[in-house]
């Protein structure tokens, strides 16, 4: 009878402990899910803004590169530099 009583008490305590453990794990999972969800939304929005800005800057850089390439073909920078030095400093090259 003592062994059966001890076994019954042990089983009862084990079930109580297991129930509390599962309850605690469920509570933790809910809190973790809420925390991650709220931070994910803000992070995802920020990432979308940064991605959009990067695309805008890349397109701007591409456009400016094309314009500068056209300017380099149309302007003789060596001749322009010589004219500037002559007008500014009196140095004839």
């Amino acid at each position: 009878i003592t062994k059966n009583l001890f076994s019954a008490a042990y089983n009862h305590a084990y079930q109580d402990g297991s129930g509390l453990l599962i309850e605690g794990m469920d509570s933790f999972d809910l809190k973790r899910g809420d925390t991650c969800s709220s931070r994910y939304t803000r992070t995802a929005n920020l990432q979308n803004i940064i991605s959009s800005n990067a695309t805008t800057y890349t397109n701007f850089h591409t456009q400016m590169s094309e314009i500068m390439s056209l300017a380099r073909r149309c302007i003789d920078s060596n001749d322009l530099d010589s004219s500037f030095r002559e007008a500014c400093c009196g140095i004839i090259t």
Side-chain angles (χ1 to χ4, degrees):
I1 292 185
T2 306
K3 286 184 181 183
N4 287 341
L5 188 57
F6 176 75
S7 181
Y10 176 82
N11 287 340
H12 180 70
Y14 180 78
Q15 287 176 353
D16 283 350
S18 293
L20 290 173
L21 177 64
I22 290 172
E23 223 177 272
M25 289 173 62
D26 288 344
S27 174
F28 174 77
D29 284 341
L30 287 173
K31 287 179 184 176
R32 183 176 52 118
D34 290 344
T35 301
C36 290
S37 293
S38 66
R39 291 185 181 176
Y40 171 79
T41 302
R42 284 183 275 147
T43 303
N45 288 339
L46 180 60
Q47 183 178 359
N48 289 338
I49 291 168
I50 290 171
S51 178
S52 175
N53 287 346
T55 300
T56 300
Y57 298 147
T58 301
N59 291 340
F60 177 75
H61 179 266
T62 301
Q63 185 181 18
M64 287 295 107
S65 295
E66 291 170 2
I67 291 170
M68 290 304 296
S69 177
L70 179 62
R72 284 188 194 104
R73 283 184 278 158
C74 295
I75 297 172
D76 183 359
S77 61
N78 290 332
D79 187 39
L80 191 61
D81 289 343
S82 295
S83 296
F84 175 77
R85 276 191 230 101
E86 190 176 318
C88 165
C89 311
I91 302 172
I92 299 174
T93 56

